[in-house]
C-alpha cells in the first residue's frame, strides 16, 4: 500500500485530526457489539452468583443464572456466549470421562441456553482440564501428555457438545490432529453445520492464571503446558498452526492471549484473510480491572482502547470478559 505524504506544508497530517467530525470521517477501525464473544463460567446449584476473586466483576453462575446472562447478552446484541464449566472436584479423574458425559454441567448449560435464547450462538471449550485430576488439557500417561488418545477423548467431547446444541466448538487443547478428527466425526454424525473456532495459536502463557482459579484448575495443575501450548518466543509457528487447522476444517481461528500477541493477529489476518479472533484472557482483564480499582487507570477508557486495538490488528472479533460492559456502553445504557 502506498501511503503518500507530500512535503510539509502541502501535507499537514493534523488537518484530519482537528475536530471530532474530521476524526470520525478519517477513522479506520471501529469496535461494535457484533464483534463480541462473552465467556461465562457455570457451576452447579440454583440461584448462585459466586464472584471470582481474581476477576473482579466476573462470577460463576448456576445454569438458571447463566440463562439469564444469555438473555441479557442477546438483548444487548452480543452475538455469542462461550461456556466454561467449574466442575465439582469429585468428578475429576485421570481418564476425564466427565468431559463427554452428555449431562455434564457444560452440556446442560448449552441445552438450557439454547432452549431459552435460541438466537444466541453458544460456543464451547474443548479441552480436558476442567475434568482432569491433574489439571492438564490432555490425558497424562507416565508424566507425558499423550496426543492421540487425547484426540479420541476430545472427539467424544465435541460430539456430546454438538448433540447438546452448541453452535461453535472451541478446541483449546493444542493437540495435533484434533481439528481434522473432530470435523470428520461431526460430518459422520450428522452435524455438518457445527462451526469450529480453533484456538490455533495458543501460547503457554502466564496470563491464564485467574481463569484457572475460575474453573478450579489452579490447585490441580502439575507442571506446565509447554509441551502442547506455544512458546511465547515464536511467531512463524503460529502461521503453520493456523494453516494446518484451516486445512483440517476449522471455520475460524484464534490467537490467544490477546494484547501481548497483536503482532500474531495481524500476521494471521494478512496471511490467510479468514475469520480471525483473539482472546483477551483472564490475566489481561484482571490487570486492567486491578489498575482501574486503584484509580491508576480510567477503567472504561482502557477497556475500549484495548478492544479497539484488536480491530486495528485485523481481528474480526474478540472473546472478552468485558463484553456486557462494552455492549452497554456502545448502546448508551
Ligand atoms: C483451557 C482454557 C484455558 C483458557 C481457555 N481455555 C486455560 C489454559 O489453557 O490453561 C484461558 C482463558 C483465560 O485465561 O481467560 N484449555
Amino acid at each position: 500500500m502506498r501511503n503518500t505524504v507530500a512535503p510539509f506544508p502541502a501535507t499537514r497530517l493534523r488537518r484530519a485530526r482537528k475536530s471530532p467530525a474530521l476524526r470520525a470521517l478519517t477513522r479506520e477501525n471501529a469496535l461494535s457489539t457484533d464483534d463480541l464473544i462473552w465467556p461465562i463460567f457455570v457451576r452447579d446449584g440454583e440461584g448462585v452468583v459466586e464472584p471470582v476473586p481474581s476477576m473482579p466483576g466476573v462470577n460463576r453462575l448456576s445454569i438458571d443464572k447463566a440463562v439469564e446472562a444469555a438473555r441479557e447478552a442477546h438483548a444487548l446484541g452480543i452475538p455469542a456466549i462461550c461456556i466454561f464449566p467449574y466442575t465439582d472436584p469429585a468428578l475429576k479423574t485421570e481418564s476425564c470421562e466427565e468431559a463427554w458425559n452428555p449431562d455434564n454441567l457444560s452440556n446442560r448449560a448449552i441445552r438450557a441456553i439454547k432452549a431459552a435464547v435460541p438466537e444466541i450462538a453458544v460456543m464451547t471449550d474443548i479441552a480436558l482440564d476442567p475434568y482432569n485430576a491433574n489439571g492438564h488439557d490432555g490425558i497424562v500417561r507416565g508424566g507425558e501428555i499423550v496426543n492421540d488418545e487425547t484426540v479420541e477423548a476430545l472427539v467424544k467431547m465435541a460430539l456430546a457438545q454438538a448433540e447438546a446444541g452448541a453452535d461453535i466448538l472451541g478446541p483449546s487443547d493444542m493437540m495435533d490432529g484434533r481439528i481434522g478428527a473432530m470435523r470428520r466425526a461431526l460430518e459422520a454424525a450428522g452435524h455438518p453445520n457445527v462451526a469450529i473456532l480453533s484456538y490455533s495459536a495458543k501460547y503457554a502463557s502466564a496470563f491464564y492464571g485467574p481463569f484457572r482459579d475460575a474453573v478450579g484448575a489452579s490447585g490441580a495443575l502439575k507442571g506446565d503446558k509447554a509441551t502442547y501450548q506455544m512458546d511465547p518466543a515464536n511467531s512463524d509457528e503460529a502461521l503453520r498452526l493456523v494453516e494446518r487447522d484451516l486445512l483440517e476444517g476449522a471455520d475460524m481461528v484464534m490467537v490467544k492471549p490477546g494484547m501481548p500477541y497483536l503482532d500474531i493477529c495481524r500476521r494471521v489476518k494478512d496471511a490467510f484473510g479468514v475469520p480471525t479472533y483473539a482472546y483477551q484472557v483472564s490475566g489481561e482483564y484482571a490487570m486492567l480491572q486491578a489498575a482501574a480499582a486503584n484509580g491508576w487507570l480510567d477503567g472504561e477508557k482502557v477497556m475500549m482502547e484495548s478492544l479497539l486495538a484488536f480491530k486495528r490488528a485485523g481481528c474480526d472479533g474478540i472473546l472478552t470478559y468485558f463484553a456486557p460492559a462494552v455492549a452497554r456502553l456502545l448502546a448508551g445504557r
Side-chain angles (χ1 to χ4, degrees):
M1 184 177 61
R2 299 282 287 274
N3 204 338
T4 307
V5 183
F8 175 86
T11 296
R12 286 180 186 271
L13 287 167
R14 286 186 60 190
R15 285 181 202 125
R17 293 183 216 130
K18 82 169 190 176
S19 68
L22 269 288
R23 291 196 294 275
L25 281 170
T26 57
R27 187 163 296 131
E28 298 175 35
N29 296 286
L31 176 68
S32 127
T33 303
D34 288 342
D35 304 323
L36 304 172
I37 300 176
W38 183 20
I40 62 164
F41 299 105
V42 294
R43 54 154 295 150
D44 263 323
E46 232 191 283
V48 185
V49 176
E50 177 185 43
V52 178
S54 51
M55 299 178 73
V58 171
N59 301 298
R60 300 186 191 111
L61 307 171
S62 52
I63 290 178
D64 57 322
K65 292 289 175 186
V67 168
E68 273 178 33
R71 277 209 185 88
E72 182 199 356
H74 180 56
L76 287 166
I78 296 171
I81 201 161
C82 182
I83 297 173
F84 292 97
Y86 172 77
T87 307
D88 177 353
L91 295 172
K92 297 186 187 194
T93 61
E94 300 275 332
S95 44
C96 310
E97 57 278 343
E98 181 64 8
W100 53 92
N101 173 357
D103 290 315
N104 70 18
L105 189 55
S106 169
N107 292 330
R108 280 184 279 131
I110 297 169
R111 276 196 207 92
I113 291 171
K114 289 308 288 187
V117 200
E119 302 89 345
I120 203 160
V122 173
M123 177 172 166
T124 62
D125 185 62
I126 303 184
L128 300 178
D129 53 330
Y131 311 100
N132 200 339
N134 53 53
H136 277 290
D137 292 14
I139 290 169
V140 182
R141 295 248 178 259
E144 190 191 330
I145 291 90
V146 291
N147 193 86
D148 300 9
E149 195 181 337
T150 299
V151 170
E152 281 174 35
L154 297 171
V155 166
K156 286 189 264 182
M157 196 175 171
L159 288 175
Q161 293 175 349
E163 206 58 53
D167 300 285
I168 306 169
L169 306 183
S172 70
D173 54 283
M174 290 295 282
M175 296 300 123
D176 285 319
R178 89 269 210 222
I179 303 298
M182 280 174 208
R183 181 52 77 206
R184 283 189 295 277
L186 288 167
E187 288 288 329
H191 297 295
N193 297 322
V194 172
I196 298 178
L197 197 181
S198 179
Y199 288 62
S200 297
K202 176 172 178 179
Y203 288 84
S205 171
F207 285 100
Y208 308 147
F211 172 97
R212 292 179 192 165
D213 293 341
V215 298
S218 311
L221 183 62
K222 295 192 182 71
D224 61 34
K225 301 192 176 186
T227 69
Y228 46 108
Q229 298 180 347
M230 281 180 73
D231 183 336
N234 293 356
S235 175
D236 291 344
E237 187 191 2
L239 301 189
R240 297 182 72 192
L241 287 161
V242 166
E243 182 166 34
R244 187 268 316 262
D245 287 358
L246 290 170
L247 291 172
E248 290 185 18
D251 304 281
M252 305 141 100
V253 295
M254 193 201 295
V255 174
K256 179 186 175 196
M259 274 217 302
Y261 297 85
L262 291 179
D263 57 322
I264 308 299
C265 298
R266 171 49 67 194
R267 284 193 78 185
V268 167
K269 190 62 179 181
D270 285 350
F272 301 103
V274 299
T276 302
Y277 300 81
Y279 199 142
Q280 183 180 49
V281 300
S282 56
E284 302 175 61
Y285 174 86
M287 285 194 301
L288 297 181
Q289 290 291 69
N294 277 294
W296 297 337
L297 288 174
D298 179 326
E300 214 163 72
K301 286 200 173 125
V302 292
M303 169 178 86
M304 298 309 274
E305 185 179 333
S306 66
L307 292 166
L308 180 60
F310 290 104
K311 298 293 291 182
R312 199 188 58 237
C315 293
D316 295 280
I318 310 110
L319 287 96
T320 176
Y321 302 99
F322 286 121
V326 173
R328 272 193 291 273
L329 199 66
L330 289 172
R333 286 190 222 172

